Amino acid sequence: MTIPTAPSAPAPDRYAVAGNPVAHSRSPAIHARFAEQTGQAVHYERLLCPLDAFVPTVQAFAAEGARGCNVTVPFKFEAFQLAARRTPRAELAQAANTLRFDADADGGWLADNTDGVGLVRDITVNAGVALAGARVLLLGAGGASAGVLGPLIEARPAEIVLANRTRDKAEAIVSRHLGWAAQHGVRLSARGLQDAGTGFDVFINGTAASLSGGGVPVGPEVLRPGALALDMMYGPAAAPFLAWARGHGAVPRDGLGMLVEQAAESFTLWRGVRPDTAPVLAALRAEVDAAPAR
């Protein structure tokens, strides 16, 4: 008598975070929790891309049957160029942190940028800080800042200043967003680091200074007393910025909440189901805070 065997479960769909470096990334742990919570068959890994070979590395990953990837520094501008289709927020940013490897028959790869909606949700929901009517300083003109500017404008602060060491780069991003800012009644300007301004309600560090161990590239005059000072980095890399903010009377916050919230938006784009971020952020916060300093 032949005993029928149970059908084997299909292999989980593969995703990854692509960047350089990626060894520090908490994204695999986040997406594993999302998959468990929602019952999705997902395997999420790290994809280290050589600095001069991002495109072939991601294309090879897709050719192996993967379904999509997140993109981190320094490849967000290159990721945008890779896709046949882009969401409106990716078009505005001209940068992408999420790729979905749709088949050519379905229109080809889709690029999205979930950084901004993740940042805004973390500030307004998780941190409980209102952006409407606030004065906001956004530091940096790389892919991270380009990705968050549009959603920040959509939150209708009174003013956003984008400051960067090379002012021309900030002006290029600002010029692309001027119409969007006008639609939402937001004053938007580009400045250098030396004339960034003073007394902002919210200060967001979107530079790679924390990742490279550099100091905060502006003075404490940019902060009003009790301002929210947020670094997009987290863990040991963000510690010096958080100490600086705390020492100058600001409320410090790292980028862990933004990381979880943008990941949830990416997961929703890929899987069609939205995970609950609160328990995932709480668990991740406990892990990061318990990790020994390096």
Side-chain angles (χ1 to χ4, degrees):
M1 178 178 177
T2 302
I3 300 174
T5 57
S8 58
D13 292 330
R14 291 177 66 195
Y15 299 89
V17 54
N20 188 332
V22 290
H24 68 286
S25 176
R26 299 267 177 172
S27 292
I30 293 171
H31 284 274
R33 286 188 167 99
F34 287 166
E36 181 180 15
Q37 182 192 108
T38 59
Q40 295 288 304
V42 165
H43 175 73
Y44 190 104
E45 58 204 82
R46 296 178 181 90
L47 185 66
L48 178 63
C49 302
L51 293 176
D52 60 351
F54 168 74
V55 171
T57 303
V58 171
Q59 288 174 333
F61 181 62
E64 293 171 358
R67 299 289 299 275
C69 70
N70 287 125
V71 181
T72 186
V73 293
F75 302 120
K76 293 183 180 183
F77 292 120
E78 286 184 71
F80 175 81
Q81 298 295 336
L82 258 180
R85 298 176 297 141
R86 293 101 174 218
T87 64
R89 58 193 178 194
E91 286 282 5
L92 191 59
Q94 298 285 291
N97 78 327
T98 304
L99 293 171
R100 193 176 69 193
F101 303 147
D102 293 348
D104 290 343
D106 298 321
W109 288 14
L110 176 68
D112 194 9
N113 198 310
T114 67
D115 280 336
V117 67
L119 175 65
V120 169
R121 181 173 171 83
D122 183 55
I123 291 174
T124 59
V125 177
N126 299 332
V129 173
L131 284 169
R135 295 184 64 240
V136 178
L137 172 63
L138 176 59
L139 214 60
S145 292
V148 303
L149 185 54
L152 280 173
I153 290 169
E154 202 169 3
R156 297 183 183 273
E159 178 184 16
I160 300 176
V161 171
L162 179 63
N164 191 57
R165 191 178 307 278
T166 306
R167 185 168 180 158
D168 289 352
K169 291 183 179 179
E171 288 175 344
I173 295 174
V174 163
S175 65
R176 196 164 63 242
H177 288 77
L178 285 175
W180 189 242
Q183 288 180 42
H184 292 84
V186 178
R187 297 193 306 275
L188 178 63
S189 61
R191 299 182 190 172
L193 297 182
Q194 303 306 314
D195 63 339
T198 61
F200 290 93
D201 302 300
V202 177
F203 169 35
I204 301 164
N205 182 23
T207 72
S210 296
L211 198 61
S212 62
V216 181
V218 292
E221 68 277 359
V222 302
L223 303 167
R224 71 156 179 78
L228 176 69
L230 185 149
D231 194 322
M232 292 190 192
M233 300 299 171
Y234 59 90
F241 176 91
L242 301 181
W244 174 88
R246 191 178 295 110
H248 292 292
V251 177
R253 189 169 184 83
D254 68 8
L256 198 64
M258 173 186 173
L259 178 70
V260 172
E261 296 295 346
Q262 65 80 24
E265 192 77 7
S266 295
F267 191 91
T268 305
L269 179 77
W270 291 329
R271 311 302 299 180
V273 58
R274 176 170 291 279
D276 181 5
T277 57
V280 176
L281 178 55
L284 204 62
R285 173 62 65 196
E287 291 177 10
V288 170
D289 289 351
R294 289 179 293 166

